[in-house]
Amino acid sequence: MQTTAPIGAPASGNRLLFRFILMAGLMYLGWFFGYEQWLAQDGRLDAALCNQITGAGVALLRLCGFAATIDPTYPNLVLMNGQQSVVVGPPCNGLVLYALFGGFVLAFPGPWQRKLWFIPAGSLLIWCLNVLRVAALALNQHYSHQTVDFNHHYTFTFVVYAFIFGLWMLWARRLALPSVPRSTQHSASVASA
């Protein structure tokens, strides 16, 4: 009777779950000590991301023909037709979303070659969605300001987290699986025919 899994056999479900929880815990500790205790206190990273998201949101609005600008005295404030519209603060700059997305992919098993391109690509898509969110909130404030609070706290939060969940599902169901060599695919299709 064999008591250990053969070499190359997939890991058991409990072992994978333990690995995921351990990796997630280590990354949380890294986030807590690296960001919460150091980078957040410094403030420069958050300020740079806020300014960058604000600038990109304004550029998108201008590209679409809207009279959007950045307030000259407050670089995180979007102005629509000279009126205050949206302030991009640290909770809305996307850093937590990038860390959440990247942390999940890092903790979940899968080929490192795919992680090396999927994490930056997914983070870029989340960044684009965040820029769209800022632009949409500015338009929402300009045209229907009474609905901004609801849309900011519920609608856009749901959309962003649903999008990130979709990226996680893409990773877990498609990209985290090891590549099957062509010769194995061919022999499997011949055997099933």
Side-chain angles (χ1 to χ4, degrees):
M1 172 175 245
Q2 186 174 1
T3 58
T4 60
I7 295 174
S12 72
N14 288 340
R15 188 169 153 231
L16 289 176
L17 178 62
F18 177 75
R19 179 191 176 278
F20 180 83
I21 291 171
L22 179 66
M23 289 289 294
L26 289 173
M27 283 185 278
Y28 174 77
L29 288 173
W31 176 262
F32 179 77
F33 289 110
Y35 176 74
E36 296 290 338
Q37 301 300 314
W38 180 46
L39 291 172
Q41 305 299 322
D42 178 61
R44 287 183 288 182
L45 177 61
D46 281 322
L49 286 171
C50 290
N51 294 343
Q52 196 269 333
I53 289 289
T54 303
V58 166
L60 177 62
L61 287 165
R62 294 178 86 174
L63 184 67
C64 294
F66 295 99
T69 57
I70 297 172
D71 186 272
T73 58
Y74 189 54
N76 299 347
L77 176 59
V78 177
L79 303 175
M80 293 286 293
N81 294 330
Q83 300 296 314
Q84 295 180 353
S85 185
V86 173
V87 175
V88 179
C92 298
N93 66 19
L95 184 60
V96 172
L97 301 176
Y98 311 139
L100 186 66
F101 166 73
F104 176 86
V105 174
L106 286 173
F108 202 87
W112 280 99
Q113 298 87 346
R114 290 187 188 157
K115 289 180 183 190
L116 290 176
W117 69 262
F118 188 69
I119 292 172
S123 296
L124 179 63
L125 290 173
I126 294 166
W127 177 86
C128 291
L129 186 61
N130 202 23
V131 169
L132 279 170
R133 182 181 72 88
V134 167
L137 281 170
L139 291 172
N140 190 181
Q141 171 65 25
H142 187 69
Y143 292 107
S144 180
H145 67 283
Q146 66 276 10
T147 62
V148 169
D149 193 50
F150 178 83
N151 287 328
H152 176 255
H153 289 102
Y154 300 106
T155 307
F156 292 117
T157 299
F158 174 78
V159 168
V160 168
Y161 281 102
F163 183 78
I164 292 171
F165 182 75
L167 288 174
W168 287 345
M169 289 291 91
L170 175 64
W171 174 258
R173 293 184 178 239
R174 302 277 181 183
L175 298 172
L177 302 174
S179 299
V180 178
R182 286 187 145 281
S183 62
T184 307
Q185 288 175 343
H186 177 70
S187 62
S189 63
V190 170
S192 64

